[in-house]
Amino acid sequence: MRHYEVMLILDPSLEDKDAKAAVDRFLTTVTSRGGTVGNIDHWGKRRFAYEIRHLEEGYYTVVDLEATPETVDELSRVLFLADNVIRHKVIRPQAA
């Protein structure tokens, strides 16, 4: 198991509770494959520095998780295919 951080930017037309439910639905991909989800930090709506898909803002969420590389690949695939995900980024933070 490896430690990862996932940044999600969701469609701003979603309500707060709907955005949180969507994040939870995406994270079932990790938990169903034996991974663990740590801290989920919902940042709320933020303005973009530039337009993305003709949108000026998005709902940001940062998630800490531990999973296998195969599980993270599957999560990335699911996020890429989801209609309400504008952008996502998965990173492995460096140990201090």
Side-chain angles (χ1 to χ4, degrees), residues 50-86:
Y50 53 89
E51 272 190 16
I52 302 173
R53 294 188 198 168
H54 304 290
L55 298 171
E56 296 179 356
E57 64 181 7
Y59 191 89
Y60 283 74
T61 302
V62 178
V63 181
D64 289 329
L65 56 92
E66 291 197 14
T68 62
E70 295 80 18
T71 301
V72 173
D73 288 343
E74 178 64 17
L75 174 64
S76 186
R77 186 188 73 80
V78 167
L79 293 173
F80 180 76
L81 294 174
D83 291 334
N84 56 0
V85 176
I86 296 171

